[in-house]
Amino acid sequence: MESDLTKKLPIREHIKNIKKILNVIYQMNHAYFFLASIVHMINVGIPYLGLILSAYILDSFTIKGYQEIMIVTVAVTVGIFILSFIASTIWNHLEVERERMYWIYTSMTQEKMLILDFSRINSPEVRDIQTKIDRDMNWGAGLNSVFWQFNHILYQILNILFAVFVGMPVFTQIVVSNQWQAGLILLIIILLAIIGMKGRAYFVKIHEKFLYTTIKEEEKEEMFCCCWEFARGDGFNYKNGKDIRIYEGYDLMKRWTVDVLFYKKFRKSIWSGAVGLAGAAFCYSSVQGILEGGAYLTIAVLALLGTVSLGNVVKFAGCLKNLMSAIVSLIGSLEDLAVTARRHISTFEFLALENEMYAGKLPVEKRSDNQYQIEFHNVSFRYPGTEQYALKNFSMKLKIGEKLAIVGMNGSGKTTMIKLLCRLYDPQEGEILLNNVDIRKFKQEEYNRLFSIVFQDFKLFPFKLAENVAVSKQYDIQEVKNCLIGAGFSERLKELKYGIDSYLYKDYDEDGLEISGGEEQKIAIARAVYKEAPFILLDEPTAALDPLSEYEIYTNFDKIIGTKTAIYISHRLSSCRFCEKIAVFHKGELVQFGNHKELVKDTKGKYYEMWQAQAQYYQMEAK
């Protein structure tokens, strides 16, 4: 399949893409282009000052005094030093800004993920765009490539302008003295420009052939990406290091990283590519040599004919050489920028995605008594891209202050119900009501504040313990400690040298905590309690623990939440016996509802079947 980057685009599309990516830079820093122009104007101008000074010295030996020449030379030298210092200072500032803008731009896709509808994150459309972004950025340096190429283009444009401005008086002198010589110079300039452009085009053609034809996309991914990850050390890290050592996985990792470097197919591709690139480089160097040689040869003829002075020979030769090189280099840089800008189309496509879920505008009533009632009314839901219902015709009223357990086998619809409750998804049929108002009508951020959830795949951050509990840099110290103690983390807390200011893991601190799975779950529960939300949900966060440990955590959690509405989700029935009501899910439907004693009496029901299947494990754990 032809790569998107190798398809021909109209010039106007290239211009549109370039304007779009440059506009991104401008929006992040309005002054960047202006300051960069000043820097390049100075850097381009300094060599021309040296060229003009050289011409002045050569032409002044016979007509100017030694002292005057020295004064001019010193003055120009000091001026060059001052200009160089100014340019260097501004450039250092711009480099810091470039790094800042690079990371801002890189984080845009992550920020977009946070505000994009959760239901779209894992959709085929978004996955395809993310694949494109990864592929498009695989051979580039992201936004840095744009900076480098833009600066090079700006430098060459200014170089052309300076070459014309400084060299034009000499050329005018040649025209006045001898028009056929001037015509000859113009002809030579045109011929050299054509040779330069053709040579550059040939170089680009060979280079692209190597990048997009010599090695297929799937081979690139296998041979280069894996090798690069291995070279950086990403293949082996602290998290997977234990498994690699225990299971002796080094050979397997090595097969996907180092060994590919010795594959015959790899060596053949690299060799053919190297030969091609060597030919392209030779072509490019030859073009540069022809341009420089042609420039000097032309001026040498003019000098021999006595058309211009020796100083003007030096000046015009330098200008002509710079002009030719700048034109060829500018054309190549414009082509490179066009390709680079094209690589960012997929990123713009992703950033342009709009949310599809209705954004409500109603504020959620703030109630100190937590009198919020939620009702599911004939709710049905299918995940995007599937035909099977994850939840079918589901109705239930969550009573205020109730402790509700939701049980069922994996895939029965328990977690789906929670995702719909939190409005991570909208149901295809039916409605969910908060105090008799459709939840879609409320502002999402205000509705989210009603819930504290500990998901099965919850995430802790490599920050301070207190920041993990409060999910903020600002927190109530005593309340953080109370939540940790209530969640059963008190014994470990006493052992910590830095208390709640201890870092989790070792990403940012060598003394960071190594915590067990059970301790992670206690911290996650403390985080849920700290939020002070009227609804608290546990979505099987203790699935990795044994039944008795899970029962202990659930029981302690029930004590610390007080009168709040709580929902406990588990496939282990023993953990939820203390709940006032138990909802039994099976194949996306609510099949039973009641308390433990009522449900276990129904010997034909799903709850009794699950209870009998799990009873032997509860007995073994008790022993």
Side-chain angles (χ1 to χ4, degrees), residues 431-442:
E431 59 183 358
I432 305 172
L433 307 175
L434 172 65
N435 291 350
N436 296 318
V437 179
D438 193 322
I439 65 173
R440 286 173 286 198
K441 296 182 179 181
F442 293 110

Side-chain angles (χ1 to χ4, degrees), residues 46 49 74-84:
I46 286 174
L49 282 177
V74 171
V76 172
T77 303
V78 171
I80 289 174
F81 176 80
I82 294 172
L83 289 173
S84 298

Side-chain angles (χ1 to χ4, degrees), residues 218-238:
E218 60 271 17
E219 292 174 1
K220 282 191 237 171
E221 182 175 352
E222 175 182 334
M223 294 187 293
F224 289 107
C225 296
C226 293
C227 296
W228 179 243
E229 287 186 1
F230 181 84
R232 292 185 305 179
D234 293 351
F236 304 148
N237 54 49
Y238 180 79

Side-chain angles (χ1 to χ4, degrees), residues 8 89 102 112 122 158 190 248 308 353 365 374 447 481 514 577-578 582 596 619:
K8 296 294 183 183
T89 302
Y102 171 82
K112 181 67 177 181
N122 201 37
L158 291 171
I190 293 171
E248 299 179 353
V308 293
L353 290 175
E365 181 185 8
I374 291 181
Y447 182 74
K481 291 180 179 178
E514 286 300 331
R577 285 177 297 170
F578 63 85
I582 300 175
H596 173 71
Q619 294 168 3

